[in-house]
Amino acid sequence: MEDLIAKIAKELIENSDTEYRVSAQRFYKKGISCIGVRTPVVRKISSKYFKEVNKLSKEEIFEFCRIMLMRNASEFSIIAFDWASKLKKKYEVSDIYYFESWIDKFVDNWSKNDDLCSRVLGPYFFKFNDQIPRLPIWAKDKNKWFRRAAAVSLLYSVRRKKNIEDGFKIAKILLNDKEDLVLKGYGWLLKEISNNFLDDVYNFVKKNEKEMPRISLRYAIEKFPEKLRGEFIKKNS
């Protein structure tokens, strides 16, 4: 296992770009740990080495993912979540315990959070709809990454016109969250719901606009027709 991860590390280093690494670290308010490899290149490396593990059991591959996440560098998290996403047809209900531990121990910026949500958690909750009740619990967790994940994990479903009411429930719980990234997360969720259920999002925003932080509101109404968007912007400018 360590030999394979060492080979991946060596190839990542060979493809690193110092200028890109510096710009990526500046992009995040608190900085990130990264080798400096552009994401399309990382994904190619990921696919290349997945061929060496794809006949292993799901549990063995998840262990590879865990060890790569321990490396902390963003490139390893991209590979870990990519490998986990390739197993989505094999997901079982109990796999949520792996994913929750990854949020708890390894997610430390919005990029890791959103990659895990879009590639792993989204398909998981879409497949196992009976696990959706976990999300309101996440939305009240002290860890802001669980709270953001409660919203962002639903994007996969709402884009497929599913779990719309659950999306509004999460948005209501997070309505006045203290973390900017959580507010943006549920605003993003509402924006995606508005693509197919504009009237419902309009009604939600109208009902909650006095309490809704401006950043969440602006995300939520981003795809509204200009006239409707102007109605809220004028009141909240």
Side-chain angles (χ1 to χ4, degrees):
M1 187 175 290
E2 288 294 339
D3 288 345
L4 178 58
I5 294 176
K7 285 200 296 184
I8 294 172
K10 181 174 182 293
E11 187 151 350
L12 287 171
I13 292 169
E14 289 171 350
N15 284 274
S16 64
D17 180 329
T18 302
E19 185 177 335
Y20 176 72
R21 183 179 69 249
V22 172
S23 65
Q25 289 172 332
R26 286 175 178 169
F27 182 75
Y28 292 84
K29 290 182 180 179
K30 294 184 179 180
I32 60 168
S33 172
C34 68
I35 298 168
V37 186
R38 296 180 185 276
T39 300
V41 177
V42 178
R43 297 208 184 280
K44 286 182 181 179
I45 293 171
S46 177
S47 295
K48 173 183 175 180
Y49 286 101
F50 186 74
K51 294 174 184 177
E52 297 191 25
V53 300
N54 66 355
K55 291 185 179 179
L56 298 177
S57 70
K58 181 186 64 181
E59 291 71 24
E60 288 174 310
I61 296 174
F62 279 172
E63 179 61 10
F64 266 106
C65 294
R66 186 186 69 83
I67 292 173
M68 285 192 287
L69 288 167
M70 289 176 66
R71 294 272 182 132
N72 195 33
S74 60
E75 290 85 355
F76 278 107
S77 71
I78 290 171
I79 295 172
F81 299 149
D82 184 42
W83 284 15
S85 75
K86 293 179 187 298
L87 302 172
K88 58 178 176 277
K89 291 182 179 179
K90 298 180 180 180
Y91 286 171
E92 299 171 275
V93 171
S94 60
D95 291 335
I96 192 63
Y97 297 110
Y98 288 106
F99 308 149
E100 286 182 328
S101 72
W102 294 352
I103 298 175
D104 185 47
K105 296 176 181 177
F106 305 120
V107 170
D108 56 9
N109 63 62
W110 63 261
S111 180
K112 288 181 182 179
N113 182 95
D114 296 358
D115 200 26
L116 174 60
C117 289
S118 63
R119 300 181 69 81
V120 179
L121 291 169
Y124 173 87
F125 285 114
F126 187 77
K127 182 176 183 178
F128 299 113
N129 219 240
D130 61 339
Q131 294 299 303
I132 291 286
R134 286 180 177 272
L135 296 181
I137 298 172
W138 288 10
K140 299 173 184 177
D141 197 277
K142 64 180 181 180
N143 183 333
K144 67 182 176 182
W145 301 120
F146 273 106
R147 302 201 305 276
R148 182 173 169 98
V152 181
S153 293
L154 280 174
L155 294 175
Y156 187 93
S157 292
V158 302
R159 286 168 179 158
R160 291 159 177 79
K161 303 180 183 181
K162 190 175 179 181
N163 299 119
I164 305 305
E165 287 305 316
D166 295 301
F168 288 121
K169 183 176 182 179
I170 294 301
K172 184 64 176 177
I173 294 171
L174 298 174
L175 194 67
N176 285 299
D177 199 276
K178 302 303 180 184
E179 289 286 345
D180 185 64
L181 287 168
V182 177
L183 297 176
K184 290 178 180 178
Y186 89 73
W188 182 14
L189 175 62
L190 291 173
K191 177 174 68 175
E192 291 299 329
I193 294 174
S194 76
N195 284 327
N196 294 299
F197 302 93
L198 178 63
D199 289 346
D200 294 313
V201 176
Y202 174 86
N203 290 335
F204 180 90
V205 174
K206 188 76 173 175
K207 182 178 179 179
N208 295 287
E209 65 175 315
K210 291 182 180 179
E211 299 177 67
M212 203 170 178
R214 185 179 301 178
I215 185 64
S216 303
L217 187 145
R218 287 184 175 272
Y219 267 76
I221 67 174
E222 187 175 317
K223 294 189 177 180
F224 278 23
E226 185 175 351
K227 185 177 180 180
L228 290 182
R229 191 168 65 250
E231 175 187 333
F232 291 107
I233 291 175
K234 186 175 181 180
K235 289 180 182 178
N236 293 276
S237 58

